[in-house]
Amino acid sequence: MPNGGQPTIVSIAARAGVSIASVSRVLNGQGARRDTVERVRRAAAELGYVPNAVARSLKDGRTRQLTFAMPDIGNPVYVAMVRAIQAVTKAAGYRLLLHSTDAVAEDELAVLHSLGDRTSDGLILCPIRITDEHIEALTTAAGPVVVIGSLPDGVPVDSVRADSVAGSAMAVAHLFRTGRRRIAFINGPSDTVPGHNRDLGYRTALTACGLPHDEALVVHTDFGIDSGAAAVRRLLPARPDALFCANDQLALGAAHALLARGVRIPEDIAVAGMDDSALAQAGWPPLTSVDLGSSTRGRRAAELLLDRLETRGGTGTAPPPRTSTAPPRLVVRASTAPTTDSPITRTA
């Protein structure tokens, strides 16, 4: 290669012993004789040739890249989504770009607006708050967007959501059936979509079980492990016999704090979480948790986004905005074993 520069189709042609036109056809997937294809690919690999994706994107208007923007890249829920999304997008020939927004609205809006820069062909977004600015940015987005989360009616984008209301009610009803009557709730911020929905499910289940709503048994914090531990210190004076936590991070933190104080789980206080993430089985006893279908939601979001890209490319008629819901599933483990006088124990 002249002057030790990057390999080009000229240097590849010289190495392979074929014409420049043959190299161009092979590298652009336009077809050539099998032996020519093999010689060109071997020469390109030996020279360390890397295709210019930017140049290709300028030619066909696509980057073959998609973006997944999530609140917390360290949360196992989003790790599960990444794996599911990437499995779908990789099979379709797309790279997946990851972006952690830290649940900051300005960052989420910046990612939405960046679709106009053509750095990626589409976006999967996980906002935990939906503001008027979000709705405007989603409505005017320069590329296809799929939201993992709940949206107000009329927002013209596809969405995939979890049924957190039903999932929360499911967990509280389970704790009630195991004999618990003072069921405390550790939740995230109530102004977030998941915080609001999980609070609604908690209250709905208390009413259905004939239990009063006691503010002394409710703590609103953020969704982190340390916050779960701190919430326990605030709740113990109210003498709960169960803790329902809005995610597994809160539940794991709460369980650690209880065990550090000599509180037995589940004999003294039962603990249940949500998401059924890898954290649910990371400690002892393993945590009962509500599976909200993280992998299912990620996979479905990727499928919807790819479908939008196809219809934008002129291969089909664009459908109206679609909403998909992953049904919750209660996964019972040792952290919520029944009390001796519970209906479960009596009928065993």
Side-chain angles (χ1 to χ4, degrees):
M1 291 177 290
N3 303 321
Q6 295 297 317
T8 65
I9 61 173
V10 175
S11 58
I12 294 171
R15 183 65 163 265
V18 300
S19 69
I20 293 173
S22 294
V23 173
S24 179
R25 283 195 298 273
V26 172
L27 295 181
N28 286 291
Q30 295 174 345
R33 287 180 2 199
R34 178 177 296 181
D35 64 325
T36 300
V37 172
E38 292 176 352
R39 290 163 66 183
V40 170
R41 288 178 175 173
R42 183 167 56 248
E46 291 170 351
L47 293 172
Y49 174 76
V50 178
N52 191 336
V54 174
R56 285 204 307 271
S57 72
L58 292 174
K59 182 178 180 180
D60 65 13
R62 288 197 177 188
T63 66
R64 307 301 296 183
Q65 297 185 147
L66 302 173
T67 301
F68 176 42
M70 73 210 87
D72 180 5
I73 201 167
N75 187 325
V77 169
Y78 300 116
V79 174
M81 288 183 183
V82 168
R83 289 173 176 159
I85 292 168
Q86 183 163 276
V88 176
T89 57
K90 185 177 181 180
Y94 285 85
R95 290 190 185 93
L96 184 63
L97 309 178
L98 303 181
H99 185 92
S100 185
T101 65
D102 296 320
V104 175
E106 289 78 8
D107 204 353
E108 293 165 350
L109 294 171
V111 175
L112 276 165
H113 293 146
S114 72
L115 283 171
D117 300 336
R118 303 302 302 154
T119 54
S120 69
D121 297 330
L123 169 66
I124 298 173
L125 178 67
C126 282
I128 65 172
R129 295 177 177 87
I130 297 293
T131 65
D132 291 342
E133 288 78 12
H134 282 89
I135 294 172
E136 180 180 358
L138 288 166
T139 302
T140 60
V145 182
V146 176
V147 169
I148 298 181
S150 298
L151 288 174
D153 292 339
V155 181
V157 300
D158 297 320
S159 63
V160 183
R161 69 184 189 94
D163 193 344
S164 295
V165 177
S168 297
M170 194 178 287
V172 174
H174 165 72
L175 291 168
F176 180 80
R177 288 194 302 271
T178 63
R180 275 73 186 199
R181 296 297 180 265
R182 292 191 58 75
I183 303 170
F185 183 33
I186 304 177
N187 195 13
S190 58
D191 65 337
T192 64
V193 174
H196 170 79
N197 288 343
R198 292 169 200 198
D199 182 66
L200 178 58
Y202 171 73
R203 290 172 179 266
T204 299
L206 289 181
T207 300
C209 294
L211 298 177
H213 182 268
D214 184 350
E215 286 294 340
L217 291 172
V218 178
V219 170
H220 287 279
T221 179
D222 60 42
F223 288 108
I225 292 176
D226 291 342
S227 298
V232 164
R233 293 192 289 272
R234 296 165 58 183
L235 286 170
L236 284 179
R239 303 182 66 82
D241 56 15
L243 298 180
F244 167 51
C245 304
N247 70 7
D248 290 338
Q249 291 178 294
L250 288 169
L252 186 63
H256 286 171
L258 290 173
L259 294 172
R261 288 165 172 75
V263 178
R264 300 172 301 166
I265 304 171
E267 294 86 353
D268 300 324
I269 298 179
V271 180
M274 286 195 84
D275 293 324
D276 195 36
S277 67
L279 293 177
Q281 298 187 63
W284 186 260
L287 292 169
T288 290
S289 187
V290 178
D291 182 358
L292 294 175
S294 300
S295 296
T296 300
R297 285 182 284 151
R299 181 174 63 254
R300 181 59 178 152
E303 291 169 348
L304 288 171
L305 185 58
L306 291 175
D307 187 57
R308 284 290 172 194
L309 287 168
E310 280 193 19
T311 55
R312 279 198 173 212
T315 60
T317 302
R322 296 157 294 184
T323 298
S324 180
T325 302
R329 180 175 64 93
L330 181 70
V331 181
V332 178
R333 299 190 179 93
S335 68
T336 61
T339 60
T340 56
D341 60 347
S342 73
I344 292 178
T345 301
R346 289 197 300 268
T347 59

